Amino acid sequence: MKKILRFSAKKQAELLKKGEVSSRELVEAYLERIEERRDINAFITISDEALSEAKRMDSVRAGGENVGPLSGLPVAIKDNIVTKGIRTTCASKMLEKFVPPFDATVVEKIKGSGGIVLGKTNMDEFAMGSSSEWSIFGAVKNPLDTTLTAGGSSGGSAAAVADFQAPFALGSDTGGSARLPASFCSIVGFKPTYGRVSRYGLVAFASSLDQIAPLARNVEDIAFLFNIIAGPDERDSTSIKEPFVPLENLGFDISKVKLGMVKEGLGEGVEKRVRDVVVRAIEMLPSAVDEVSVPEVNYSVPIYYVISTAEASSNLARYDGIRYSYRADGYSDLKDLYIKTRTEGFGEEVKRRIMIGTFVLSSGYYEAYFLRAQKARRLIRDRLDTLFERFDFLVMPTSPTVPFRLGEKLSDPLAMYMSDMLTIIANLGGYPAISLPASKKESIGLQIIAPRMEDDRLLRFAFEVEKALSAM
Ligand code: GLN
């Protein structure tokens, strides 16, 4: 592997800017690395245009033009974010041949900042899963130990970044899909405040929870990418209208920060070694820490799996074989076409979600499930908002367990769903949250949650935490 691939994204961009490396050399080095590490299965599609784009960037730069902050740096993009002319499959047979005619807003912004789409990363089908095994392209392997899963659903993005196959990447986070794989691959994953990054061009899973999320090897690189992708977008009606002010300086004095350590995040269902590592990491910080209780954490998995499946069942109704998706052969009439297409086009987990979602929305069950889940969601939000009056941030582990083995939870959906027990509350309340490696020896993530719209404060704090932990 070329030495430059180990540098941070920020550093690589600086070298590009100074002309000490060309975009072509860099992209070639990444393509070589990806080829060498095909067994990790991080990518579904490598962009045919990456190299020609890199050459184009080099000549633009040689002409003395400013190509933008990314300066010809490649970025890996999760395969549920649409890319013009590059197929976007969501790891599903349903979209296996789908080549989008437009770019997602985030992709437009990356290109507009001098970035290059390197390729599309592997994931759980339609982002439904916690291990990146539910993919028609096969499971992603954890680059730190290939017998383990990389976490999900943005496992391909996390594995690519951890394995130096990309400087950084975009994932998505509906219930933890960027933070969990970041934790499993010992990198950083950040879910911004709901609406801070445009969802235009993100294939919808559960629209009230979905956020596009950067993954990188350090906090500074996360902020670098976040600065490029964040901000209002009139094509996404849920995007926050308030202008986005890019983050300039990361550090600050964290000795006056008050942390609430969530008791339920250290209780039942959480492995002892996870607890020990995270508590030790928190105690290392100069900030004040108090234990707080968020009893709703124990109900968050059922609440999330009612709301997210309900929204998914509605969002996935569009894959009917009529427009752009897969269409089954040999149907007798329209209804048969729908049935065959959807039976063949969706995988097992996606079908399970559609069935649960349809059930919880159906008349007679709507009040008992969907409506109650919405009310419970409100209680979580109220609880956390109240806590944020007294605390700057809430902290707990990202995942209740260390990375599990490939295949271990595939036949036990509930066990798989429990992996999300600590990440979901941030999505239900729309809060920004980040996962940072809490140990140099094991893949255990420390999760920090902040009040809505305090993305910049969260990143500045995380930067200090990262520094403190690396000195450990
Ligand atoms: N693991 C969760 C699920 O399966 C979260 C997925 C996500 O955030 N996209 O729904």
Side-chain angles (χ1 to χ4, degrees), residues 9 19 23 71 77 84 140 153 158 167 185 194-195 234 268 292 298 300 309 343 346 352 360 366 370 410 414 456 461:
S23 186
S71 275
I77 313 274
K84 186 175 178 180
V140 179
S153 64
C185 296
Y194 178 78
E234 55 185 31
E268 208 188 318
V292 300
N298 295 325
S300 63
T309 56
T343 304
F346 289 132
R352 181 162 30 243
V360 299
Y366 175 87
F370 187 69
L410 271 182
L414 287 183
D456 53 351
F461 177 64

Side-chain angles (χ1 to χ4, degrees), residues 5 25 40 68 75 80 90 122 221 237 322 345 352 412 437 452:
L5 302 190
E25 285 169 285
I40 301 297
V75 186
N80 60 348
C90 289
N122 204 353
D221 285 349
S237 62
I322 305 294
R352 181 162 30 243
D412 187 350
R452 279 182 296 281

